Amino acid sequence: MPKRKGNATNHSDEDEEGTNHNQKTISGDGDSVVAVELSRNRKVVVKKFKGKVFVDIREFFNKEGNELPGKKGISLPLDQWKMFQSHFTGIQELIQSLN
């Protein structure tokens, strides 16, 4: 996603493993985009596109000073995001059993 003009606010959160996750809220042309940096090039972005809300988990790259979305990633419409959320506890339990 190209950089948007507007105000930016950075927040830092630390999870139980001590990993910092930076959250950046960017306001621009009537839409809000919330990005959570998972790593240097991977982000979770919540955006509105053609009137619908999407959760985009994607790798980003820099080209000529602009941050752009890459091909590697997935964009979930809100109904699929809610389905994922409803299974989160089961996923967490599976992770714990494999850990």
Side-chain angles (χ1 to χ4, degrees):
M1 171 178 292
K3 288 187 178 178
R4 292 182 182 239
K5 294 180 181 177
N7 299 327
T9 307
N10 288 321
H11 307 279
S12 183
D13 242 341
E14 216 173 87
D15 65 14
E16 64 274 358
E17 296 172 350
T19 305
N20 280 329
H21 301 283
N22 294 317
Q23 180 174 318
K24 187 185 301 179
T25 304
I26 304 168
S27 299
D29 59 17
D31 290 330
S32 281
V33 177
V34 177
V36 178
E37 293 184 45
L38 301 174
S39 67
R40 196 179 81 175
N41 295 324
R42 289 186 182 155
K43 298 180 184 184
V44 179
V45 178
V46 179
K47 62 184 177 179
K48 204 170 214 179
F49 180 71
K50 294 186 179 182
K52 296 185 179 182
V53 176
F54 291 88
V55 177
D56 197 35
I57 304 168
R58 186 159 307 279
E59 287 188 357
F60 286 76
F61 66 96
N62 283 309
K63 182 177 181 181
E64 299 174 4
N66 291 318
E67 189 173 60
L68 301 171
K71 292 180 181 180
K72 292 183 180 180
I74 185 168
S75 188
L76 298 173
L78 201 50
D79 62 328
Q80 290 179 8
W81 174 254
K82 288 180 181 180
M83 169 88 60
F84 173 71
Q85 277 185 307
S86 72
H87 293 284
F88 191 75
T89 302
I91 294 168
Q92 281 290 94
E93 289 171 359
L94 285 170
I95 291 169
Q96 290 300 321
S97 72
L98 295 173
N99 212 355

